[in-house]
């Protein structure tokens, strides 16, 4: 990340506070945006049990995605984020997530079971931090690209690459401010050298 990007990044605790001001009803946008904003709001500020309740509620929004294949892909990214972001998920928690998904979003139950098995095999501890950062960054980058494309149309290739390579804090900031951007230039300022 370029050195001067940090000047554009507000204090992470402030961002969590700012996002935490909004209730579920106040978070607007398409299903994907609502899901990611709710998860960002709740992942660091709530207990595991409260976060899982928020996740279950957010998973209902997946039903609103008309393109089921796109829904499954987004669902997989979301699950990777959840499994990597919540530090104290147990095997029992993962099994509860899979059961909940089987009833809420049956199309995604196979993905949930596969991810849970992969994480269980990897031992949840080994490489967790690196996987957490990479998984969360990939999920947020994909969501940012989708949301910015929806808002502004085709994005310049250099901006797409910058977003794909951005760190987690930059991506979180971009997504949390998506409603404030008036043009692509507002997003590009995060990557100026």
């Amino acid at each position: 990340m370029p050195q001067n990007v940090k000047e554009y990044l507000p204090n992470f605790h402030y961002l969590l506070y700012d996002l935490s001001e909004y209730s579920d009803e106040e978070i607007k946008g398409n299903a994907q945006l609502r899901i990611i904003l709710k998860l960002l709001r709740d992942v660091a500020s709530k207990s595991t049990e409260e976060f899982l309740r928020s996740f279950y509620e957010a998973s209902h929004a997946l039903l609103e995605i008309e393109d089921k294949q796109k829904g499954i892909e987004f669902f997989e990214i979301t699950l990777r984020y959840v499994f990597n972001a919540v530090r104290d998920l147990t095997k029992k928690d993962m099994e509860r997530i899979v059961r909940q998904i089987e009833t809420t979003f049956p199309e995604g139950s196979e993905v949930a079971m596969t991810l849970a098995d992969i994480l269980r095999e990897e031992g949840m501890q080994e490489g967790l931090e690196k996987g957490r950062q990479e998984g969360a960054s990939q999920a947020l980058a994909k969501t940012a690209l989708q949301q910015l494309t929806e808002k502004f149309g085709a994005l310049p290739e250099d901006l797409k690459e910058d977003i794909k390579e951005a760190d987690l804090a930059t991506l979180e900031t971009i997504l949390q401010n998506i409603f404030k951007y008036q043009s692509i230039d507002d997003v590009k300022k995060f990557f100026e050298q």
Side-chain angles (χ1 to χ4, degrees), residues 33-50:
L33 182 61
R34 288 193 329 266
I35 290 168
I36 202 71
L37 288 176
K38 288 177 185 181
L39 294 178
L40 284 173
R41 176 194 65 195
D42 296 345
V43 71
S45 62
K46 295 194 174 189
S47 70
T48 299
E49 192 63 34
E50 291 171 318

Side-chain angles (χ1 to χ4, degrees), residues 23-172:
S23 68
D24 288 350
E25 295 77 28
E26 293 172 313
I27 294 177
K28 306 283 187 210
N30 67 27
Q32 293 165 313
L33 182 61
R34 288 193 329 266
I35 290 168
I36 202 71
L37 288 176
K38 288 177 185 181
L39 294 178
L40 284 173
R41 176 194 65 195
D42 296 345
V43 71
S45 62
K46 295 194 174 189
S47 70
T48 299
E49 192 63 34
E50 291 171 318
F51 176 75
L52 290 175
R53 270 196 300 277
S54 294
F55 172 76
Y56 298 148
E57 291 169 12
S59 69
H60 288 283
L62 289 167
L63 298 172
E64 297 174 31
I65 300 173
E66 289 183 29
D67 181 341
K68 292 302 176 197
Q69 183 59 38
K70 188 175 181 180
I72 290 171
E73 290 171 8
F74 183 74
F75 174 73
E76 181 177 356
I77 291 167
T78 303
L79 273 182
R80 284 186 186 275
Y81 179 78
V82 168
F83 286 156
N84 286 311
V86 181
R87 296 180 188 267
D88 54 351
L89 267 185
T90 65
K91 180 179 176 180
K92 185 177 178 180
D93 292 331
M94 288 191 292
E95 290 168 353
R96 285 175 48 203
I97 288 172
V98 171
R99 280 194 307 273
Q100 175 70 27
I101 295 308
E102 287 173 339
T103 58
T104 306
F105 190 67
E107 296 91 342
S109 62
E110 186 176 318
V111 171
M113 290 188 308
T114 301
L115 287 174
D117 288 341
I118 289 169
L119 288 171
R120 210 174 290 121
E121 287 174 14
E122 290 176 356
M124 293 287 288
Q125 298 302 322
E126 187 178 333
L128 188 58
E129 186 60 34
K130 183 179 179 190
R132 179 180 299 117
Q133 293 294 322
E134 288 175 7
S137 291
Q138 288 174 354
L140 294 182
K142 185 170 183 174
T143 301
L145 289 169
Q146 289 173 339
Q147 296 303 313
L148 290 169
T149 300
E150 189 172 311
K151 184 167 183 161
F152 297 115
L155 301 175
E157 288 301 315
D158 60 330
L159 180 60
K160 288 182 189 178
E161 288 304 312
D162 286 341
I163 290 171
K164 288 176 185 175
E165 295 173 8
D167 63 23
L168 193 57
T170 301
L171 293 167
E172 287 173 339

